[in-house]
């Protein structure tokens, strides 16, 4: 859909991405980047597209709760395009400040007019959005002003939106469903985290998961020094600072940062940057990266190797390995072989053994929910044990491919113990040749980065007499 000046309409692009993310099970961020690259959207509209798609996915549960409250049709009976248009409209009404309420309503109604072309659907969309708008009492209420939590929706940075009606569960009677709806996470995950981390920490993590994550850049030292890169950003008026070796950029989308195509940096969370370092790479090592795509850690390992040694980048996904290849080319890395295969298969396609092995395992992603916005809705509690079984078999294969005195790092971006300490404990119980050299786990934090886990195992030499 083009608007009157024949430019792509940003909300139309957004609603299509939202439906595709749900129906094709693709990653929202990858689809947003693809659409931004292909479209004639302005920089401002690209930012709005990112905000709308990520915001609607992150806040889906409170948005659907509002729709259910103001609609006379059950949620599962609402025509899909109408439902997406309602979510987009309500997100702007309840969570954004820049867009006038009338514009939020009119643009969603216009989407339904174009996509559904039925007057009852148009009338229904208009009625639900106007009822929600009329029910808002104060869009920027501070915590001390909240007298009835059933009428209050948490927005961000301790700002709430209050309503005239009691829409949300009573926290005194249904604490977990109140927290699940207000902070937009599945209830089973809230229960799990409360039992492990307590209510305060759980709420803090949920709040962090609902904010756009910080953009951390790993400067490609093979091409440019951090000082030179900061000067380049400064020249473009981009404010940046360093945290340890990472560069943090504020208020800017990745596509606006200079030097991407030239491979001057890799976008990588500060927690993910710790993993390659943890592997204790030495020059000339032969390294196996067993779950390598799209190559964030492969390219970091290459930096530690300099132009020495060799990396085998294995992954089960040919499509994601294509990204690994492109990233290696972009970053100017040539000592990598790309291998497509199943790392859980004990007959892994290698006859040789490796000095270092990295297993950055497929996981539930519960440490990176601010980045992987759709993950919280796709994940089921029963998936955690299934993932643990896969992770364990990948670890067993990796262990069989490590040289004596070599190091193996097992890492995830999950904060669930079954996928982390549980795997290592079980493994150590059955593999006396290995010792646990070091272990770290971290919870998601706005300033310190994503949540996750890493363990370094050492394979001892066994002498037979
Ligand atoms: C956490 S991501 C890896 C991220 C990567 N290390 C990086 O830093 O860019 C996990 C990867 O595991 C891959 N994967 C899932 N199951 C696998 C299997 N059985 N064998 C090999 N790779 C697998 C996925 O395709 C995905 O690319």
């Amino acid at each position: 859909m083009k608007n009157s000046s024949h430019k792509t309409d940003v909300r139309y692009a957004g609603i299509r991405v939202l439906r595709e993310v749900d129906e094709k099970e693709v990653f929202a961020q990858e689809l947003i980047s693809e659409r931004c690259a292909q479209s004639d959207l302005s920089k401002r509209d690209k930012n709005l597209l990112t905000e709308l798609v990520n915001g609607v996915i992150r806040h889906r549960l409170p948005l659907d709760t509002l729709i259910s409250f103001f609609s006379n049709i059950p949620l599962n009976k609402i025509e899909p395009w109408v439902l997406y248009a309602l979510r987009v409209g309500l997100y702007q009404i309840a969570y954004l400040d820049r867009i006038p309420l009338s514009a939020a309503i009119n643009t969603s109604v216009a989407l339904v007019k174009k996509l559904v072309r039925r007057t009852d659907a148009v009338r229904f969309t208009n009625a639900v959005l106007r009822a929600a708008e009329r029910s808002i009492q104060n869009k920027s209420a501070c915590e001390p002003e909240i007298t009835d939590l059933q009428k209050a929706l948490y927005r961000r940075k301790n700002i709430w939106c209050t309503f005239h009606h009691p829409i949300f569960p009573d926290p005194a009677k249904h604490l977990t469903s109140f927290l699940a709806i207000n902070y937009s996470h599945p209830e089973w995950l809230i229960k799990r985290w409360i039992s492990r981390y307590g209510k305060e920490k759980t709420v803090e993590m949920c709040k962090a998961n609902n904010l756009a994550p910080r953009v951390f850049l790993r400067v490609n030292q093979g091409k440019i020094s951090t000082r030179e890169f900061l000067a380049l950003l400064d020249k473009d008026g981009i404010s940046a600072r360093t945290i340890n070796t990472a560069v943090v950029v504020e208020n800017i989308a990745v596509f606006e940062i200079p030097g991407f195509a030239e491979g001057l940096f890799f976008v990588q969370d500060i927690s993910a940057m710790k993993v390659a370092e943890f592997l204790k790479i030495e020059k000339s090592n032969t390294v196996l990266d067993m779950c390598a795509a799209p190559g964030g850690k492969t390219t970091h390992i290459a930096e530690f190797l300099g132009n020495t040694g060799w990396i085998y980048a294995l992954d089960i996904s040919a499509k994601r390995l294509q990204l690994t290849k492109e990233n290696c080319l972009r970053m100017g890395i040539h000592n990598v072989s790309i291998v497509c295969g199943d790392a859980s298969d004990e007959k892994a396609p290698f006859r040789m053994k490796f000095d270092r092995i990295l297993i950055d395992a497929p996981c539930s992603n519960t440490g990176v929910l601010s980045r992987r916005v759709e993950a919280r809705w796709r994940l089921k509690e029963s998936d955690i044990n299934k993932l643990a079984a896969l992770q364990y078999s990948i670890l067993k294969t990796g262990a069989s491919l490590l040289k004596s005195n070599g190091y193996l790092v097992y890492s995830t971006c999950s904060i669930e113990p079954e996928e982390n300490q549980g795997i290592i404990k079980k493994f150590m119980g059955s593999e006396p040749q290995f010792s646990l050299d070091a272990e770290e786990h971290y919870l998601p934090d706005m300033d310190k980065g994503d949540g996750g886990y890493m363990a370094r195992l050492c394979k001892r030499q066994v002498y037979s007499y």
Side-chain angles (χ1 to χ4, degrees):
M1 184 168 123
K2 307 269 176 176
N3 56 28
S4 50
S5 60
H6 303 290
K7 286 235 169 113
T8 303
D9 179 89
V10 60
R11 289 177 182 80
Y12 178 73
I15 203 172
R16 288 195 42 189
V17 171
L18 285 166
R19 195 162 173 181
E20 228 172 300
V21 168
D22 286 343
E23 291 179 356
K24 297 196 182 153
E25 295 244 324
V26 286
F27 296 157
Q29 197 44 55
E30 287 180 8
L31 207 51
I32 293 170
S33 305
E34 200 181 294
R35 291 300 139 84
C36 284
Q38 290 164 353
S39 74
D40 55 2
L41 290 170
S42 64
K43 268 188 189 177
R44 202 163 155 233
D45 276 351
K46 284 179 185 171
N47 287 331
L48 181 58
L49 177 78
T50 309
E51 167 73 59
L52 288 178
V53 172
N54 286 333
V56 167
I57 298 176
R58 284 196 188 102
H59 297 90
R60 197 173 84 186
L61 189 51
L63 292 173
D64 284 358
T65 305
L66 288 168
I67 295 170
S68 298
F69 188 84
F70 292 107
S71 153
N72 52 6
I73 304 176
L75 207 67
N76 61 356
K77 295 269 171 7
I78 299 177
E79 201 282 337
W81 283 124
V82 175
L83 182 60
Y84 284 104
L86 286 172
R87 286 175 179 160
V88 170
L90 271 172
Y91 177 67
Q92 297 167 82
I93 292 172
Y95 290 96
L96 298 187
D97 293 311
R98 302 186 301 273
I99 296 164
L101 297 182
S102 57
I105 297 173
N106 295 341
T107 48
S108 275
V109 170
L111 283 174
V112 172
K113 259 186 207 154
K114 291 270 183 198
L115 288 159
V116 187
R117 295 165 185 262
R118 271 184 11 222
T119 47
D120 59 337
V122 173
R123 247 187 277 125
F124 170 76
T125 309
N126 191 45
V128 172
L129 293 178
R130 290 208 182 274
E133 181 215 357
R134 276 196 304 273
S135 177
I136 291 179
Q137 186 190 38
N138 180 359
K139 218 178 139 174
S140 307
C142 303
E143 206 135 335
E145 296 172 64
I146 315 283
T147 49
D148 183 351
L149 280 168
Q150 285 190 263
K151 294 181 179 173
L153 175 65
Y154 183 79
R155 285 182 57 194
R156 67 189 70 174
K157 299 193 175 147
N158 295 328
I159 299 288
W160 297 67
C161 178
T162 58
F163 294 86
H164 293 296
H165 302 91
I167 300 170
F168 306 103
D170 179 355
K173 291 191 191 136
H174 310 283
L175 179 66
T176 52
S177 65
F178 170 80
L179 295 177
I181 292 175
N182 239 293
Y183 299 102
S184 200
H185 281 66
E187 198 170 336
W188 67 264
L189 201 53
I190 296 281
K191 280 189 187 147
R192 199 169 227 275
W193 288 352
I194 288 182
S195 70
R196 189 159 305 119
Y197 306 116
K199 183 187 150 203
E200 301 307 315
K201 188 70 201 166
T202 299
V203 169
E204 201 184 295
M205 290 196 297
C206 291
K207 285 179 177 175
N209 290 342
N210 287 343
L211 293 173
R214 285 243 157 86
V215 180
F216 294 101
L217 309 177
R218 175 165 56 76
V219 178
N220 186 356
Q221 303 293 337
K223 292 203 174 189
I224 191 167
S225 70
T226 305
R227 198 172 45 80
E228 286 165 332
F229 184 64
L230 287 170
L232 186 71
L233 296 182
D234 190 47
K235 204 167 118 240
D236 274 26
I238 299 169
S239 67
R241 64 196 166 95
T242 52
I243 298 185
N244 303 331
T245 57
V247 171
V248 194
V249 283
E250 309 281 355
N251 303 323
I252 187 155
V254 171
F255 60 82
E256 295 177 65
I257 305 169
F260 177 81
E262 295 77 17
L264 300 190
F265 64 89
F266 201 99
V267 180
Q268 189 172 45
D269 184 75
I270 196 158
S271 298
M273 285 184 209
K274 293 189 214 165
V275 178
E277 194 177 352
F278 198 64
L279 193 53
K280 285 189 162 180
I281 299 281
E282 287 171 16
K283 292 271 190 281
S284 303
N285 276 167
T286 304
V287 184
L288 173 60
D289 186 355
M290 289 187 85
C291 300
K297 299 184 185 83
T298 309
T299 52
H300 200 187
I301 291 168
E303 191 180 313
F304 285 105
L305 284 174
N307 285 320
T308 72
W310 202 264
I311 308 168
Y312 291 82
L314 174 75
D315 201 280
I316 201 164
S317 163
K319 190 171 170 219
R320 288 171 65 75
L321 277 174
Q322 185 54 36
L323 292 174
T324 314
K325 206 167 164 180
E326 285 163 21
N327 280 324
C328 287
L329 275 176
R330 189 171 64 79
M331 303 290 281
I333 292 159
H334 304 290
N335 48 349
V336 176
S337 299
I338 306 276
V339 187
C340 191
D342 183 350
S344 69
D345 184 349
E346 56 192 20
K347 297 192 276 313
F350 299 102
R351 286 174 193 277
M352 57 198 290
K353 297 219 170 186
F354 299 87
D355 301 301
R356 299 287 183 268
I357 294 183
L358 173 62
I359 299 174
D360 190 28
C363 70
S364 61
N365 290 303
T366 54
V368 289
L369 295 181
S370 71
R371 237 168 261 290
R372 287 285 315 281
V373 289
E374 66 291 326
R376 72 187 79 173
W377 308 122
R378 287 192 186 155
L379 187 69
K380 295 189 287 301
E381 193 164 16
S382 56
D383 292 339
I384 292 183
N385 284 337
K386 287 184 200 150
L387 282 162
L390 172 65
Q391 291 153 349
Y392 188 71
S393 51
I394 295 178
L395 178 56
K396 285 291 248 187
T397 309
S400 70
L401 293 169
L402 188 66
K403 282 184 190 169
S404 289
N405 298 321
Y407 288 113
L408 180 154
V409 165
Y410 171 85
S411 66
T412 72
C413 46
S414 160
I415 55 169
E416 311 310 313
E418 295 93 323
E419 300 179 75
N420 297 332
Q421 296 90 339
I423 297 286
I424 297 303
K425 197 169 167 217
K426 182 174 164 195
F427 177 79
M428 298 303 292
S430 68
E431 298 272 353
Q433 232 189 307
F434 282 81
S435 61
L436 178 58
D437 195 44
E439 186 183 37
E440 267 186 47
H441 68 105
Y442 24 92
L443 296 178
D445 181 295
M446 265 309 279
D447 294 313
K448 295 187 196 127
D450 293 339
Y453 172 82
M454 54 189 184
R456 184 172 59 235
L457 308 178
C458 179
K459 190 175 190 175
R460 284 186 295 258
Q461 180 104 45
V462 175
Y463 298 99
S464 39
Y465 297 98

